[in-house]
Amino acid sequence: MLGDDLEVSEIGLGCMGMSEFYGARDDEGSRQTLTAALDLGATFWDTADMYGSYHNEQFIGDFISGMSNKPVIATKFGIVRRPGAYARSIDNSAEYIRSSCEGSLKRLGIERIDLYYVHRLDPKVPIEDTMATLSELVKEGKIAHIGLCEVSARTLERACSVHPVAAVQSEYSLWTLDVEKEVLAMCRHLGVGFVAYSPLGRGFLTGKYRENTKFETDDVRALLPRFEADAMARNIAIVDEVTMIAARIGCTPAQLCLAWLLAQGEEVVPIPGTKKIHYLNENCEAPKIKLNTVDLAQLQQVIRRTPIFGERYTPEGMKGVNV
Ligand SMILES: NC(=O)c1ccc[n+]([C@@H]2O[C@H](COP(=O)([O-])OP(=O)(O)OC[C@H]3O[C@@H](n4cnc5c(N)ncnc54)[C@H](OP(=O)(O)O)[C@@H]3O)[C@@H](O)[C@H]2O)c1
């Protein structure tokens, strides 16, 4: 459950990579993955208008068109891109929110968005104003719940003074623990759910990539400091530790990453991203792995003694987190 009343599956599905950021698209494979997700009960789907410059929403909209029992759809607004370009700006103005919402509703082919996130905060617009506009959209029945991405604890508190927030979505995984400083505690205090994005460290924590992996130019990881050759050579240490613990427990490293997130509290919902059925199947088995106190203590030790090298975003991207 996110917030007071948004019921979602224990594990969600991140759909971003079906459109861009992690290599070439495979629409047929992605459609099969969406079908399998419904069968497996992973019915909390995460998208955004900017993924593939509207492609991702349209793709999901086409897939769910005509379905009577649709998955829970979360989408986002606020990052403005020129189609095909990575360069971006942020807009949380009332006109932009309203026109973005109309666009998302149309592409998704739904009458109401289940969870509508501010993708990044616009420093020019006070959070109270953004929440007031979103609150009007709730009253008008265009969105059911409000979410915020990568916000600070203080911003979340201010936002909740205007309208309830169902979920904060930020990066959280065994190698990205920033939200443990303040944000998670504030979510718990205010009864706000927490959606963990990039729970597999953009795939790195699964052990699929090694220190010598080269990402193609159509892969965002080629731009991220944490995936630079020197950083990967050092960051492989945590992957090896996670892989060893997973082997002892009898699961895969990906499942261990997800089971660890699930063990952090009921309010935490991981949304691993994939366009492949076999990864989806593997990820959806994670809730069956129940970590005991020894497993959790061992992972805590690994976290404590293994430094992580390189920021998770470019310097420009880092300006948009914890604001
Ligand atoms: N709010 C935000 O700012 C924000 C930012 C980033 C992401 N998100 C959302 O969060 C979702 C999840 O994050 P993410 O996709 O970045 O990260 P992730 O789930 O940590 O990693 C995705 C990567 O891991 C691979 N993968 C997935 N399951 C695997 C497994 N079992 N074994 C090996 N590799 C596996 C995927 O491969 P394939 O691509 O080959 O399937 C993909 O390359 C996104 O889809 C998006 O909806 C939100």
Side-chain angles (χ1 to χ4, degrees):
M1 183 82 78
L2 295 173
D4 286 342
D5 60 353
L6 178 56
E7 251 185 82
V8 297
S9 51
E10 213 173 353
I11 295 259
L13 175 62
C15 299
M16 178 180 85
M18 295 179 183
S19 294
E20 67 168 329
F21 294 122
Y22 298 141
R25 249 166 47 195
D26 169 12
D27 287 357
E28 191 40 40
S30 295
R31 270 188 286 273
Q32 288 171 11
T33 304
L34 293 175
T35 303
L38 293 176
D39 293 344
L40 290 164
T43 51
F44 176 39
W45 293 2
D46 192 80
T47 179
D49 56 4
M50 64 83 99
Y51 296 163
S53 298
Y54 309 124
H55 173 270
N56 204 241
E57 284 189 337
Q58 189 65 58
F59 185 71
I60 290 171
D62 292 347
F63 184 87
I64 62 175
S65 160
M67 273 173 56
S68 51
N69 200 6
K70 292 188 193 331
V72 174
I73 301 288
T75 191
K76 321 183 186 80
F77 73 90
I79 300 183
V80 191
R81 296 169 68 195
R82 271 184 294 115
Y86 186 67
R88 56 190 58 202
S89 58
I90 310 295
D91 193 342
N92 292 177
S93 65
E95 305 84 60
Y96 183 78
I97 296 176
R98 286 193 161 276
S99 73
S100 299
C101 182
E102 290 304 328
S104 291
L105 286 168
K106 203 161 158 223
R107 284 184 292 277
L108 289 162
I110 53 181
E111 281 172 15
R112 192 170 70 151
I113 296 165
D114 298 302
L115 176 56
Y116 200 37
Y117 290 106
V118 184
H119 207 163
R120 287 294 182 273
L121 288 204
D122 179 348
K124 301 182 295 303
V125 183
I127 185 67
E128 288 81 0
D129 294 3
T130 304
M131 289 299 290
T133 307
L134 290 168
S135 171
E136 284 167 17
L137 292 177
V138 173
K139 280 189 208 108
E140 291 162 26
K142 302 201 167 184
I143 67 175
H145 299 89
I146 300 172
L148 302 171
C149 294
E150 291 286 4
V151 289
S152 66
R154 177 71 192 120
T155 300
L156 175 60
E157 204 175 20
R158 284 170 56 195
C160 287
S161 71
V162 180
H163 188 101
V165 172
V168 166
Q169 179 180 134
S170 294
E171 185 166 349
Y172 187 29
S173 69
L174 286 166
W175 77 342
T176 301
L177 302 160
D178 313 10
V179 293
E180 291 191 347
K181 283 183 204 132
E182 287 180 354
V183 174
L184 268 179
M186 186 58 81
C187 285
R188 286 176 189 131
H189 174 65
L190 296 170
V192 174
F194 184 87
V195 174
Y197 82 71
S198 299
L200 308 175
R202 299 186 186 267
F204 191 67
L205 296 170
T206 68
K208 185 175 118 180
Y209 307 105
R210 295 303 300 177
E211 50 273 55
N212 52 1
T213 300
K214 296 249 179 306
F215 293 100
E216 301 293 327
T217 48
D218 63 353
D219 195 310
V220 74
R221 290 168 288 203
L223 300 174
L224 302 178
R226 213 170 255 194
F227 288 87
E228 281 169 13
D230 286 357
M232 280 211 291
R234 298 159 101 181
N235 289 333
I236 208 71
I238 192 162
V239 178
D240 291 342
E241 298 261 21
V242 169
T243 305
M244 254 181 323
I245 299 174
R248 178 182 64 70
I249 292 172
C251 65
T252 68
Q255 289 167 340
L256 181 59
C257 291
L258 298 172
W260 176 79
L261 282 166
L262 292 171
Q264 302 311 305
E266 274 186 0
E267 67 287 348
V268 178
V269 179
I271 48 165
T274 187
K275 47 189 173 295
K276 301 192 174 79
I277 286 194
H278 61 278
Y279 288 161
L280 174 84
N281 283 329
E282 180 183 331
N283 299 341
C284 285
E285 290 288 303
K288 293 189 187 148
I289 317 289
K290 302 290 177 208
L291 301 180
N292 61 31
T293 47
V294 174
D295 305 329
L296 290 169
Q298 208 181 349
L299 283 166
Q300 206 53 41
Q301 265 184 13
V302 167
I303 289 168
R304 221 175 299 128
R305 68 167 181 243
T306 318
I308 301 301
F309 296 89
E311 297 277 24
R312 58 192 175 101
Y313 281 113
T314 61
E316 192 51 34
M318 287 307 289
K319 290 184 196 157
V321 304
N322 197 34
V323 288

